[in-house]
Amino acid sequence: MDSTAMSMPAGATQFTLPDTSLAEDQLLERQRRWLEFLNRDNNVNADATELERIILNDKPRLVVSMDHIREFDAELAEQLMAEPAEFIPGLEAAATEAGRAAAVRAGVALDAGQFRVAVGFSGAFGTHHVTPRGLRARQLGRLVCVEGIVTRCSLVRPKVERSVHYAAATRTFFAKTYRDQSSGGTGFSSAYPTADDKGHALTTEFGLSRYTDHQTINIQEMPERAPPGQLPRGVDVVLDGDLVDAVKPGDRVAIVGVYRALGGKATTAAAAIFRTVLMAGAVRVFGAGSLAATKPSSGVSSGIPGAMALTEGDITNIHAIAKRTDAFELLAQSLAPSICGHAEIKRAVLLQQLGGVEKNLENGTHIRGDVNVLMVGDPSTAKSQL
């Protein structure tokens, strides 16, 4: 590291100061503070336990409760929500360092160069807990929790993080790290190199390059929360890494992330209008019938879309109910228990959920096993609730 000599009077002792920027000093100080948070109570805390559990994942993500941060330092929690771009990098660096230390204690071998812990947040967000309609310019650059219904999911595509190129003329390898507006931080670099500084053609080594999964979804305001006579409003959400394919259209979700404005070719000095997105850090789904049920925080999926994570007690209860002669009636009565009556309709809806038997006849005819229900009735008779 370069050093800068300070001008001193004659006869005085000369010394040098390291040439470190204020931003680097602030990052190191915040990283030290976050390490104190993760190592509090002699590493006997929920966050340290969760960190030890996720070090075996390919793409570990530590979800930290805002309530735990407030108990540790209320001012730090407020600074995090107000300036997440300044404080999240320090927390991720501290979590990565603490994860490596936990791996050493557990005797787990990690790739020091590739291992990185991503961070998400949960808990209470106060005035930062909003709906898509509540997102305003004052929330730009802040940590928010947005609730809504997923209406659209894009395809999962790879996004390059680091590309490796080979110049055949000089037999030299080149590597470049990419950062776009959805990566956070500053110093965006998205130009893909085709030649080196001397004009020699470069060939991309796709096997040596590093990519991450990338997906965009749209969440819309819940219909029951929209003002009467107005259409629900939505916001685009960017999912990266282990968060992709965590939800499907129709899921009711609470997404915690940074609300940001993105520039582009359509943004001009005359228009001065920016596209806004929510950069997701954590996704919570209401209900167990979603794809997120197959992707717990440990990163281990059951491989069955929509499957629930069953405990041994759940399996024991399922076997006990299966042996009962009145299992069908019991399940029908358990459907929408807050609605009285409609016994026949509940039985029909239960049969629809269970589905029929698919048949393939000898003559090649295929009969679907799906059961369809058309519910017709007077207003205010609980049709929508059922």
Side-chain angles (χ1 to χ4, degrees):
M1 183 175 293
D2 297 335
S3 298
T4 303
M6 297 187 62
S7 177
M8 303 294 294
T13 303
Q14 186 176 3
F15 62 94
T16 58
L17 291 176
D19 185 16
T20 58
S21 65
L22 178 60
E24 292 176 348
D25 293 339
Q26 290 178 339
L27 177 61
L28 292 175
E29 175 61 25
R30 290 164 183 161
Q31 181 178 346
R32 181 193 61 81
R33 187 60 174 160
W34 286 120
L35 270 175
E36 293 178 359
F37 165 73
L38 295 175
N39 296 331
R40 67 189 185 279
D41 300 331
N42 295 322
N43 290 329
V44 182
N45 59 77
D47 300 304
T49 302
E50 179 68 12
L51 190 60
E52 292 177 356
R53 191 175 64 86
I54 67 174
I55 58 176
L56 299 178
N57 295 349
D58 294 334
K59 296 178 181 178
R61 179 174 298 272
L62 176 65
V63 179
V64 181
S65 173
M66 293 299 302
D67 301 326
H68 296 167
I69 301 177
R70 289 191 187 93
E71 293 176 1
F72 176 76
D73 189 338
E75 183 180 357
L76 182 62
E78 293 299 324
Q79 292 174 336
L80 172 64
M81 289 197 295
E83 299 177 294
E86 300 293 332
F87 287 85
I88 290 180
L91 176 55
E92 290 184 339
T96 301
E97 182 178 342
R100 290 171 180 166
V104 172
R105 293 193 299 268
V108 178
L110 294 177
D111 186 350
Q114 300 293 335
F115 180 75
R116 176 180 172 273
V117 178
V119 173
F121 300 94
S122 62
F125 287 83
T127 57
H128 291 245
H129 195 132
V130 296
T131 64
R133 185 180 296 271
L135 291 172
R136 293 290 186 269
R138 63 178 178 273
Q139 270 98 17
L140 285 173
R142 301 197 173 191
L143 189 67
V144 296
C145 178
V146 182
E147 288 188 1
I149 300 177
V150 180
T151 59
R152 185 179 69 252
C153 296
S154 71
L155 296 176
V156 177
R157 301 185 183 276
K159 182 175 72 173
V160 63
E161 290 185 331
R162 182 176 182 269
S163 63
V164 178
H165 309 269
Y166 177 69
T170 58
R171 296 184 178 181
T172 308
F173 285 91
F174 298 87
K176 181 175 181 179
T177 301
Y178 294 85
R179 296 182 64 85
D180 59 7
Q181 296 183 81
S182 64
S183 302
T186 58
F188 303 135
S189 174
S190 58
Y192 201 76
T194 57
D196 60 9
D197 52 356
K198 296 181 180 180
H200 299 135
L202 296 178
T203 303
T204 303
E205 298 289 342
F206 294 99
L208 300 178
S209 302
R210 187 171 69 244
Y211 306 87
T212 186
D213 293 325
H214 178 82
Q215 185 183 32
T216 302
I217 67 174
N218 181 272
I219 61 173
Q220 195 177 76
E221 189 176 17
M222 297 183 185
E224 63 270 18
R225 297 188 182 181
Q230 297 190 27
L231 293 176
R233 297 181 182 176
V235 62
D236 289 332
V237 182
V238 175
L239 306 177
D240 284 329
D242 58 313
L243 296 180
V244 302
D245 271 348
V247 298
K248 66 180 187 299
D251 285 344
R252 292 174 176 248
V253 297
I255 299 181
V256 178
V258 181
Y259 187 51
R260 297 190 57 185
L262 304 182
K265 295 181 180 179
T267 304
T268 62
I273 297 176
F274 293 82
R275 176 194 173 211
T276 55
V277 297
L278 182 64
M279 313 302 301
V283 178
R284 182 167 62 93
V285 183
F286 304 111
S290 66
L291 295 179
T294 68
K295 299 181 67 174
S297 57
S298 62
V300 180
S301 171
S302 67
I304 305 175
M308 296 177 59
L310 300 177
T311 63
E312 294 183 1
D314 295 332
I315 296 176
T316 302
N317 293 333
I318 290 173
H319 287 312
I321 293 177
K323 295 178 181 179
R324 295 179 54 165
T325 57
D326 61 340
F328 180 71
E329 291 297 330
L330 176 63
L331 294 177
Q333 295 173 6
S334 302
L335 183 68
S338 61
I339 300 175
C340 297
H342 299 307
E344 293 294 333
I345 297 177
K346 289 184 178 181
R347 295 190 188 101
V349 174
L350 176 61
L351 292 175
Q352 180 193 31
Q353 292 180 340
L354 297 176
V357 179
E358 181 181 7
K359 295 182 179 180
N360 293 310
L361 303 182
E362 295 181 357
N363 60 1
T365 304
H366 174 73
I367 301 177
R368 293 182 300 172
D370 302 329
V371 178
N372 298 316
V373 173
L374 174 63
M375 198 178 303
V376 182
D378 295 330
S380 300
T381 52
K383 297 189 301 296
S384 299
Q385 295 184 33
L386 282 169

